[in-house]
Structures are given as structure tokens and as C-alpha cells.
Amino acid sequence: MIRQPNDMVPSLNARRFGGLVALLNVVASGYFTVSGLVDPGGLVDGGDQAAARTYAAYMSARSIVLLGGMVLLLAMRAWRPLGLLLALNGAVQIVDTVIGAAHHQVPQTIGPLVFAAALLSAAWLLGVRVPSPGRLRPTVR
């Protein structure tokens, strides 16, 4: 097999940064996932009620799947799909930032904002770009 250079692969620094951000996201989100399952009342007041425990279990199930996918893509070295998943997680963190700001909670605003910046930066470095309007052309059949 003849190997050819692949200019589509992100730089080594971009891959390292993306991997680090992915792992930090898995650790931080994993902590909240496990905490939400084990002791939802420890995260928010009234979290020990049945409805809150059920909601925490549903949210944890989704988080486990997304974090597992992130680890899998990182292990597979699938940089573009990993970048897309990082970008989607960055969007979630932006929504978390808005929620924290709406509730006037400084730590719940700044924390997600920092994570959103790191996630979106890593996604951009891994090659996830929003196409400019000029690049979008309809398909002619």
C-alpha cells in the first residue's frame, strides 16, 4: 500500500488540544452524571424527590451515551467526527451559560462559558467550520 500525505488531518497540536478538551469534558460531565444519579439532592435543592431523581436518571443516560461516544471517537482518532461532537457539546454549554445567567448564579455562568470556549476552540482546530453563505450552493439536477 502506498501512503500519501493527508492534508485533511489536523495538526498534532490541534489533536492534542482536542483530546485534552474531550477528556476534561468527560471527567467534568461524568462527575455531574454520577452525582445526579447517586445524590441529585446534593446538586440542587429538592433533588431527592422522586420526580427529580427520575429526571436525573434520564439526563444521565443521555450524558453517558454522548460521553461514551466522545471517548470512542477519541480512541478511534476520528478527528472530524470528534470535532463535531465537541462543537455540539459547546452549544450545550452555551445554553447552560444562559441558564446560569438567567438564575443569577455566577459559578453556573462562568464554568459553562469557559468550557464552551474550550470546546468550540477545539472543534474549530479539528476542522469543524460553519460554511460561509457564499459556499452554500444548491444542487442542480
Side-chain angles (χ1 to χ4, degrees):
M1 178 166 84
I2 298 173
R3 293 193 173 248
Q4 296 179 353
N6 185 356
D7 61 349
M8 298 296 288
V9 175
S11 71
L12 180 61
N13 287 337
R15 293 182 305 211
R16 285 181 178 164
F17 181 70
L20 177 66
V21 169
L23 289 175
L24 288 174
N25 190 48
V26 167
V27 169
S29 295
Y31 166 76
F32 285 108
T33 298
V34 171
S35 296
L37 282 173
V38 174
D39 183 24
L43 293 175
V44 292
D45 292 334
D48 53 351
Q49 297 175 1
R53 291 184 72 81
T54 302
Y55 183 73
Y58 279 117
M59 295 314 299
S60 294
R62 284 152 180 76
S63 183
I64 289 168
V65 169
L66 292 174
L67 295 175
M70 193 173 294
V71 170
L72 178 66
L73 292 173
L74 185 59
M76 292 174 52
R77 299 179 182 176
W79 303 113
R80 292 257 173 148
L82 177 63
L84 178 60
L85 194 52
L86 290 173
L88 292 172
N89 276 287
V92 169
Q93 292 296 327
I94 289 172
V95 174
D96 287 347
T97 299
V98 171
I99 292 169
H103 290 173
H104 306 290
Q105 298 171 330
V106 175
Q108 286 82 357
T109 302
I110 294 175
L113 183 62
V114 169
F115 258 106
L119 288 162
L120 294 173
S121 296
W124 188 79
L125 288 172
L126 290 175
V128 176
R129 307 279 197 281
V130 176
S132 63
R135 289 177 52 196
L136 295 176
R137 294 192 176 97
T139 306
V140 178
R141 290 188 171 196

